[in-house]
């Protein structure tokens, strides 16, 4: 498959050291960064075809850090390094080992022709390519905390679009109470999906996740197509993954090929596999421990020393309670973990 990527030269020079300088430059130039692709001619290089096509999808407007407008939080100084974000991954379709997905995903580079099947209780059901989807939304950058249920965390500069904007364009009907997401099921591309790869441990494939429609419509809920100013690499869930920053990381499903609007609560993969340990809601909550470990604190990963990192207190709803707390009024969060 053809890479949905910057041209080589471009991707090599974009690391976090120049990330903020570049953003400032783009802001001054009044140019919007789209899907991690910066118009090649802005950088004084010749346009390649992919860049040009991509640029057409992008509205010319100033890059904005909407994180600050939407969440009121400035996390710039806490950013996890690009290397750590892309080399410490949970992606069981590739491996159970956090260091392996970056290596195993090298040939997994989906492009704009990636298909997503939209179905269920929705007016505009059908099969959409990523290109079709990106025509219906505008993309922006957001910096979010990511808190894994395993008690490590990162701060990640995502690029993508607000899920609610896509949902509004798809027009769910009044029966739609939940949104279900599914990852690609293809053991040729995902070795972890081959029977027996993980010995006695197995997950029911395809990886499936779900949100209530209110959670999916919350302005914080995001679909990422990029990270650190580049298209998403395979190990981070290329070309399209969910990001729900107030929930444990396993809700943020990667490499999405199906979005269904349902009446009933979807059965999510980890809830199906270990229901006593992983609930449907999975809201970050320092007061409700995992049966096998405390959730009161977390290891914040800042750079490539994945283990030698500082321990910090975990925040209720991962620090986003002011924006999402009202979704759970009256709900017993100990029972609905
Ligand atoms: N999505 C799929 N399809 N498969 C996975 O194994 N792991 C989840 C989530 N999404 C996972 C997934 C978990 S446990 C976490 S913490 C995050 O992805 C990690 O995202 P990252 O590797 O980009 O940090």
């Amino acid at each position: 498959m053809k890479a949905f990527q910057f041209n080589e030269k471009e991707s090599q020079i974009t690391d976090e050291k120049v990330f903020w300088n570049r953003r400032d430059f783009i802001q001054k130039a009044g140019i919007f960064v789209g899907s991690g692709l910066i118009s090649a001619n802005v950088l004084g290089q010749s346009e390649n075809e992919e860049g040009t096509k991509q640029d057409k999808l992008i509205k010319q407007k100033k890059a904005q850090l909407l994180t600050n407008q939407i969440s009121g939080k400035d996390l710039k100084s806490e950013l996890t390094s690009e290397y750590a974000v892309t080399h410490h991954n949970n992606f069981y379709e590739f491996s159970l080992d956090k260091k392996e997905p970056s290596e195993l995903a090298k040939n997994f580079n989906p492009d704009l022709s990636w298909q997503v099947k939209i179905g269920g209780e929705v007016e505009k059901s059908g099969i959409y390519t990523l290109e079709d989807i990106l025509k219906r939304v505008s993309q922006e950058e957001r910096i979010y905390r990511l808190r894994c249920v395993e008690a490590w965390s990162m701060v990640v500069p995502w690029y993508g679009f607000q899920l609610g904007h896509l949902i509004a364009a798809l027009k769910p009907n009044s029966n739609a109470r939940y949104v279900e997401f599914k990852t690609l099921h293809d053991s040729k591309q995902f070795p972890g999906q081959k029977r027996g790869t993980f010995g006695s441990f197995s997950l029911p494939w395809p990886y499936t996740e779900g949100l209530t429609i209110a959670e999916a419509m919350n302005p914080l809920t995001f679909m990422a197509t990029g990270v650190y100013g580049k298209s998403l690499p395979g190990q981070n869930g290329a070309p399209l993954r969910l990001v729900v920053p107030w929930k444990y990381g396993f809700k943020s499903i990667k490499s999405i090929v199906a979005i269904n609007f349902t009446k009933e609560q979807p059965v999510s993969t980890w809830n199906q596999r270990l229901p006593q340990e992983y609930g449907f809601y999975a809201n970050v909550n320092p007061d409700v421990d995992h049966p096998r470990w405390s959730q009161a604190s977390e290891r914040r990963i800042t750079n490539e020393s994945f283990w030698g990192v500082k321990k910090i207190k975990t925040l209720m709803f991962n620090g986003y309670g002011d924006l999402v707390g009202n979704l759970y009024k009256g709900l017993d969060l100990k029972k609905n973990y």
Side-chain angles (χ1 to χ4, degrees), residues 269-289:
T269 295
W270 280 104
N271 184 230
Q272 186 181 354
R273 181 68 176 76
L274 289 167
Q276 294 78 15
E277 303 194 5
Y278 308 105
F280 173 78
Y281 285 95
N283 291 318
V284 175
N285 190 337
D287 302 327
V288 178
D289 286 340

Side-chain angles (χ1 to χ4, degrees), residues 16 47 59 106 122 165 179 197 220 253:
E16 74 277 5
E47 284 184 347
K59 292 195 185 113
K106 281 207 164 121
V122 65
H165 293 159
V179 190
T197 302
L220 278 181
I253 179 172

Side-chain angles (χ1 to χ4, degrees), residues 58-96:
I58 298 159
K59 292 195 185 113
Q60 296 285 311
K61 64 174 187 174
K62 286 192 176 187
Q64 296 170 325
L65 271 180
L66 286 191
T67 299
N68 300 342
Q69 289 171 20
I70 288 191
S71 72
K73 296 170 210 335
D74 185 355
L75 297 168
K76 259 186 276 180
S77 59
E78 293 179 43
L79 278 176
T80 296
S81 74
E82 181 183 4
Y83 183 85
V85 169
T86 55
H87 290 78
H88 177 283
N89 300 102
N90 270 342
F91 203 167
Y92 281 16
E93 282 83 343
F94 285 114
S95 171
L96 305 186

Side-chain angles (χ1 to χ4, degrees), residues 89-93 146 148 183 207 236 241 249-250 252 254:
N89 300 102
N90 270 342
F91 203 167
Y92 281 16
E93 282 83 343
L146 171 77
C148 180
T183 295
Y207 196 101
N236 291 94
R241 60 95 53 91
F250 69 86
S252 292
K254 296 177 170 179

Side-chain angles (χ1 to χ4, degrees), residues 34-321:
S35 299
L37 282 157
I38 294 170
S39 172
N41 55 2
V42 172
L43 296 161
Q45 294 163 354
S46 61
E47 284 184 347
N48 66 26
E49 232 185 83
E50 188 114 344
T52 313
K53 193 175 174 193
Q54 182 67 0
D55 290 341
K56 282 188 192 142
L57 303 175
I58 298 159
K59 292 195 185 113
Q60 296 285 311
K61 64 174 187 174
K62 286 192 176 187
Q64 296 170 325
L65 271 180
L66 286 191
T67 299
N68 300 342
Q69 289 171 20
I70 288 191
S71 72
K73 296 170 210 335
D74 185 355
L75 297 168
K76 259 186 276 180
S77 59
E78 293 179 43
L79 278 176
T80 296
S81 74
E82 181 183 4
Y83 183 85
V85 169
T86 55
H87 290 78
H88 177 283
N89 300 102
N90 270 342
F91 203 167
Y92 281 16
E93 282 83 343
F94 285 114
S95 171
L96 305 186
D97 183 315
K98 291 178 176 38
K99 288 194 184 132
E100 283 186 358
S102 57
E103 195 53 42
L104 295 170
K106 281 207 164 121
N107 296 322
F108 182 66
N109 295 307
D111 61 16
L112 287 167
S113 65
W114 177 268
Q115 293 186 338
V116 182
K117 192 174 177 197
I118 311 283
E121 304 288 346
V122 65
E123 196 179 298
K124 310 239 167 183
S125 57
I127 294 175
Y128 293 77
T129 62
L130 179 59
E131 186 169 8
D132 294 332
I133 289 174
L134 295 182
K135 280 179 194 157
R136 288 166 172 79
V137 291
S138 61
Q139 300 206 79
E140 65 198 49
E141 175 187 282
R142 294 199 187 174
I143 304 174
Y144 281 155
R145 299 186 189 98
L146 171 77
R147 167 59 156 87
C148 180
V149 75
E150 298 163 339
W152 54 265
S153 66
M154 294 183 173
V155 175
V156 184
W158 299 110
Y159 189 74
F161 59 90
Q162 194 168 308
L163 176 61
H165 293 159
L166 175 65
I167 293 180
L170 296 172
K171 299 197 170 51
N173 64 39
S174 57
N175 290 327
R177 296 179 55 220
Y178 296 91
V179 190
E180 179 193 63
F181 305 84
K182 285 185 190 292
T183 295
L184 177 70
H185 191 184
D186 177 3
S187 59
K188 285 203 186 89
Q189 303 201 65
F190 288 149
Q193 290 177 339
K194 282 194 192 116
R195 200 185 290 251
T197 302
F198 301 140
S200 58
F201 177 88
S202 69
L203 280 180
W205 309 113
Y207 196 101
T208 302
E209 259 308 336
L211 298 172
T212 66
I213 192 92
E215 290 173 334
M217 291 301 292
N218 186 280
L220 278 181
T221 308
F222 202 60
M223 289 289 246
T225 58
V227 69
Y228 261 112
K230 296 173 189 162
S231 304
L232 273 185
Q235 63 268 31
N236 291 94
L240 186 66
R241 60 95 53 91
L242 187 66
V243 181
V244 198
W246 73 94
K247 290 180 179 284
Y248 291 122
F250 69 86
K251 299 293 288 184
S252 292
I253 179 172
K254 296 177 170 179
S255 307
I256 294 168
V257 291
I259 303 177
N260 293 311
F261 293 85
T262 64
K263 283 185 207 165
E264 310 296 335
Q265 186 173 297
V267 179
S268 50
T269 295
W270 280 104
N271 184 230
Q272 186 181 354
R273 181 68 176 76
L274 289 167
Q276 294 78 15
E277 303 194 5
Y278 308 105
F280 173 78
Y281 285 95
N283 291 318
V284 175
N285 190 337
D287 302 327
V288 178
D289 286 340
H290 185 278
R292 291 184 280 136
W293 59 84
S294 163
Q295 294 291 28
S297 64
E298 65 204 50
R299 287 182 304 107
R300 170 61 56 79
I301 296 172
T302 53
N303 55 38
E304 54 281 2
S305 58
F306 303 139
W307 299 100
V309 290
K310 62 176 178 177
K311 216 170 170 185
I312 55 172
K313 276 192 173 161
T314 291
L315 303 171
M316 186 65 205
F317 296 118
N318 208 18
Y320 298 100

